[in-house]
Each structure stands twice: as structure tokens, then as C-alpha cells.
Amino acid sequence: MPADLPRLHRPDTARAKTGIVHLGLGAFYRAHGAIYIAEAMKASGGDWGIVGVSLVRPDQRDLLAPQGFAYTAVELGPNGEKPQVISVLNDVLVAPENPAAVLEIMAAPGTRIVTSTVTEKGYCHEPSTGRLNHEHPDIVHDLAHLDVPKSTIGFLVRALAKRRAAGIRPFTVLCCDNLPENGRVVRGIVLEFAGLVDQSLADWIAAEGRFPSTMVDRIVPATKPEDIDRLAGQTGVLDLSPVMHEPFRQWVVEDDFVDDARPDFAAVGVELVENVTPYEHMKLRCLNGTHSSLAYLGYLAGHETIADTVADPVFAAFVKRLWSDEIVPVLDPPPGVDLSRYTASLFDRYANPAIRHRTWQIAMDGSQKLPQRILGTVVENLAAGRMPKGLCLAIAAWMRYVGGVDEKGQAIDVRDPLAAELKQISDRGHSAAEKVDGLLSIRKIFPEQLASNKSLREELVRSYERLVANGAGATVKDMTHA
């Protein structure tokens, strides 16, 4: 680490007043939404400075504070790297340290939008139903301690309650996570929680609040120590919290904001639409669904990154087959979008050698991701009378992955909110059939209509048996040559 270099500092320009609070300040938002917002202010003005909120750890605050909350975003293109300094953050708060400060800025009149990237599991809901998980420890806590919330939902509802009590209009809640119809889902969870607190509050939020759905897209690999060292060598200053991202970006937003208050998104390429659902389905299924499929199968086959995985001709053929035979046939494309061109561009993005997006990273939290990314496509294929064998193989690979042991007998570091339960169920099964049946019984993941489908169950058992007998690489090869 080149510690002798001067630390990155915030450019000496006027700060915009805070207009946005972001919950869950991680690499993705800093490489995507924050850049769009900074560009929108540069293009059209407005007070849309961002206060980030870390809901768990102080890491980001501690890294960014000495830099005045500025950081470098590095575009990783096939022909080289392009860094730019982003200075849209005004502050970073750590919720467990001072929840009152978080509620205060969320309830401030100048805050017009609250954005969030807390991952699928951060909404404390049941992925299979989209409803609030009343048994989630954070929800239990927040209902008992309204003024010191822990969860995203608890913060949203308590801050909205404070605004209502003060006679202040609600903020717009803009979810930027990979949930289908994410605005509708978060609205439902918020209203359900609010109704448990005060039905009149829930009624006010329902009538006056806005929860536009969004679709976000940009590949943002985890920043590694060598990335920090390389950037320092290029720029001559030390940034301890840069973000890496691919050149491509897309943000589709339903244009439905409280009092129409928002940055000038259209000026910087955000697609403002009436209904984001076709875009969400396209991205969740074509990109996220194949990302997860490649992550589990690629990891088991020994591939470290997505680029490494699709550089293997067997996996390249496999993902193209998933798109052409199983995903695209059950998708209604957004207006003016050619799905064959879209998936071809996805493959080019996956193959970008500058993007080191680890299969292990993408494999995290599969219990929360499978329903949105893969299971919906499976349901629609079955309804059309087709068995989606490629996606079944991906689900079977997830089932093997969460067992916690790879093909060489080495332990897998499974990161998932249900990790202990998944491993326990897997370990109880003495055969592929018993493991599959046990995992299919988890209603938090698999709805009854899938779990009770005998043909699907048989295909999953066959796929699991092949993975055990032949390994992921050989099983994928057999499938693509079938």
C-alpha cells in the first residue's frame, strides 16, 4: 500500500444541499446512482446532495471521511481504465451508532428522496410471497423500539411518521435493488409494517407517498487491494475506497415522484417510463438469472470469475442456450428492444476481461435471489409445456453449493441468511433425491406450485446426480451437446 502518497481530497467546489438519503451505501450505488445524480446536478442544477447511511458497519464512513466523502469511480474497459472523482456525498452516517441522526436527516424538509441498495435480504420479507417477514429479528425489534430502528423498513416507516407529525410531505422511496416490481414490493412491505404501528399512518403513506419501481444495471466487481494500489500509481493520490465498474450502465425509472421532485434524470440518460416491469423482467431474467446460473456452475467447475467462466466454450454455449431456449421465449420485451441483440450485448459484457466479477461474490444470498432471478422463468416454461433443463441444472448447482462442500471436497464459504438451515437440510439427506426434496420444502424459497411439481422434482434430482457423478464442467458439456 503506497501510504506515502497524499490522500484523495474533495474538490474545492460548493456542496449541493442534501436532497437525497441513501440507505445501504455500498459499491454498486456509488458506481451507478450516485454518478447519475452528480451528472444531473452538473447538467441542470438542484440541491440533490446525498447523505449515505451504513446500516451495519462503519467501514465506508471511516474510509470516506478523511477524503471529504469523495471517491474515485474507475471505468474498466477492454482498452484501459478511466478514473473520475465523484463528490456528490455530503456525509455518511452509521445507523447503529446514532439512529436518531439517521431519522433526523430522513425527516428533514430538504430530503425529498430516499434511495436504497440493501440487497434482496435487506427488506426483511419473504422472497416467495413479497410479504413482510413478521418473525425477522430486526422487524420484531423495530416494532418494539420504534425510535431506534435497525431495519430499512423500520427507518422508512419511522421517518415517514416523523414527517407526518411535523406536517411535512413524505419523501419518495426509490428502491434500487434487484427485486421484481421493486417499488410495488417495498410499498407493500412499508404499508404492512406501518399498519402494525398505526393504521392512519399507513393510510397517509398509501395516499401521499410514492414508490416508483426501477431497473438498475451495471456490473460492479468488488474492489481489491491491488485495485487501490494500481489507481494510486496512476493518479498519484491514495483513495482507500474507490469503486470499479464496467462502461455500460442503465437506469430505468417510473416517473412517479412526490410533488414531481427529482433530479433532471432525463438530461443524463435515465429512461423515465410509465411502467418499468418489462425492463425489470428482461434484466432480472436475462442478466441476473444467467449471472447466478454461471456463478454456481462456474464456481463448482473451478472458475473464479464470470469472464473466466464464459471464456470456457462449454459455458459460453450453455449461457447462450439458456437465453435462446428458456429465457427469451417467455419474455415480453420492452418497447423497441430486440432481445437477441440485448443478450448478445450481455455476453460481450460478461466476457470483458477487465471485469473480475467473482463467481463466489455473485453466489451470495442465493435463497433471496433464486425466486426473482430464476424461479419465475421456470414457472412460465412449465406453464408453456417445456422443461427448462438448463435452469434446472442451475438450481441443482445451487443445491449442491449450499451443501458447503465443493467437487474437490473443500469447504465452501456459503454466505446466505439461511446458510445454517440450508446446510442442515442438505446434510440430513443421504441421497440426491433426499437433498432435493429437503431443499424444495423451504417455502421461503420455493412456492408450493413448484415444490409439488413431480416432473420438475425428477429433473432436479437427475441434474443433482449428474453434478455429483460427473462434475459441473462435464455435466454442462453434456447438456450443451445434447
Side-chain angles (χ1 to χ4, degrees), residues 237-386:
V237 297
L238 181 60
D239 180 353
L240 290 181
S241 190
V243 290
M244 310 288 131
H245 61 79
E246 66 171 333
F248 179 89
R249 68 176 186 176
Q250 187 176 21
W251 198 2
V252 185
V253 179
E254 290 177 351
D255 197 6
D256 183 24
F257 291 75
V258 175
D259 301 329
D260 295 323
R262 59 165 173 76
D264 188 2
F265 284 138
V268 292
V270 177
E271 298 172 62
L272 296 166
V273 300
E274 182 176 340
N275 179 16
V276 81
T277 300
Y279 297 89
E280 284 181 336
H281 284 179
M282 176 182 74
K283 189 257 180 172
L284 278 168
R285 297 181 179 198
C286 290
L287 189 155
N288 299 112
T290 56
H291 240 187
S292 289
S293 300
L294 291 170
Y296 294 114
L297 287 162
Y299 182 95
L300 292 174
H303 294 305
E304 183 182 1
T305 70
I306 292 296
D308 295 337
T309 306
V310 299
D312 182 334
V314 167
F315 281 89
F318 172 74
V319 71
K320 291 175 181 178
R321 179 169 170 174
L322 283 184
W323 283 320
S324 65
D325 294 0
E326 300 183 15
I327 298 174
V328 168
V330 294
L331 268 184
D332 292 322
V337 175
D338 181 329
L339 290 176
S340 62
R341 292 180 62 184
Y342 176 73
T343 55
S345 72
L346 287 182
F347 186 85
D348 290 342
R349 292 167 62 193
Y350 290 177
N352 180 354
I355 299 293
R356 305 291 295 169
H357 206 178
R358 296 173 65 194
T359 51
W360 176 79
Q361 179 190 0
I362 298 164
M364 293 179 182
D365 301 331
S367 67
Q368 312 296 296
K369 295 174 178 176
L370 286 184
Q372 290 83 25
R373 298 182 174 202
I374 293 177
L375 299 188
T377 307
V378 171
V379 168
E380 292 179 12
N381 272 276
L382 294 174
R386 292 187 299 269

Side-chain angles (χ1 to χ4, degrees), residues 78-337:
N79 299 318
E81 301 181 355
K82 298 178 182 178
Q84 63 169 327
V85 174
I86 306 299
S87 56
V88 70
L89 290 175
N90 288 338
D91 197 359
V92 177
L93 304 178
V94 181
E97 293 180 0
N98 194 346
V102 176
L103 290 172
E104 181 180 358
I105 189 63
M106 292 176 72
T111 298
R112 311 299 298 275
I113 299 172
V114 173
T115 53
S116 62
T117 47
V118 296
T119 75
E120 293 91 339
K121 66 184 177 184
Y123 296 96
C124 302
H125 73 306
E126 301 284 4
S128 61
T129 64
R131 300 292 300 277
L132 179 72
N133 178 1
H134 292 238
E135 299 176 0
H136 192 288
D138 289 351
I139 296 301
V140 173
H141 171 276
D142 289 357
L143 287 170
H145 306 89
L146 295 174
D147 285 322
V148 286
K150 291 183 177 180
S151 74
T152 298
I153 303 304
F155 273 106
L156 289 172
V157 172
R158 186 59 184 143
L160 286 166
K162 289 172 74 68
R163 293 175 78 97
R164 178 180 179 235
I168 302 170
R169 298 280 289 153
F171 46 69
T172 297
V173 178
L174 194 66
C175 173
C176 302
D177 277 304
N178 288 317
L179 298 170
E181 299 181 351
N182 52 16
R184 180 189 61 79
V185 170
V186 174
R187 180 180 187 271
I189 299 166
V190 165
L191 293 179
E192 193 172 350
F193 185 102
L196 297 173
V197 175
D198 176 354
Q199 187 56 49
S200 66
L201 171 63
D203 293 342
W204 179 76
I205 296 171
E208 304 296 335
R210 294 292 182 270
F211 297 77
S213 290
T214 71
M215 185 272 268
V216 297
D217 190 1
R218 171 165 263 180
I219 295 173
V220 180
T223 299
K224 301 181 289 297
E226 53 266 35
D227 297 323
I228 294 173
D229 292 346
R230 187 175 65 255
L231 178 63
Q234 293 171 353
T235 63
V237 297
L238 181 60
D239 180 353
L240 290 181
S241 190
V243 290
M244 310 288 131
H245 61 79
E246 66 171 333
F248 179 89
R249 68 176 186 176
Q250 187 176 21
W251 198 2
V252 185
V253 179
E254 290 177 351
D255 197 6
D256 183 24
F257 291 75
V258 175
D259 301 329
D260 295 323
R262 59 165 173 76
D264 188 2
F265 284 138
V268 292
V270 177
E271 298 172 62
L272 296 166
V273 300
E274 182 176 340
N275 179 16
V276 81
T277 300
Y279 297 89
E280 284 181 336
H281 284 179
M282 176 182 74
K283 189 257 180 172
L284 278 168
R285 297 181 179 198
C286 290
L287 189 155
N288 299 112
T290 56
H291 240 187
S292 289
S293 300
L294 291 170
Y296 294 114
L297 287 162
Y299 182 95
L300 292 174
H303 294 305
E304 183 182 1
T305 70
I306 292 296
D308 295 337
T309 306
V310 299
D312 182 334
V314 167
F315 281 89
F318 172 74
V319 71
K320 291 175 181 178
R321 179 169 170 174
L322 283 184
W323 283 320
S324 65
D325 294 0
E326 300 183 15
I327 298 174
V328 168
V330 294
L331 268 184
D332 292 322
V337 175

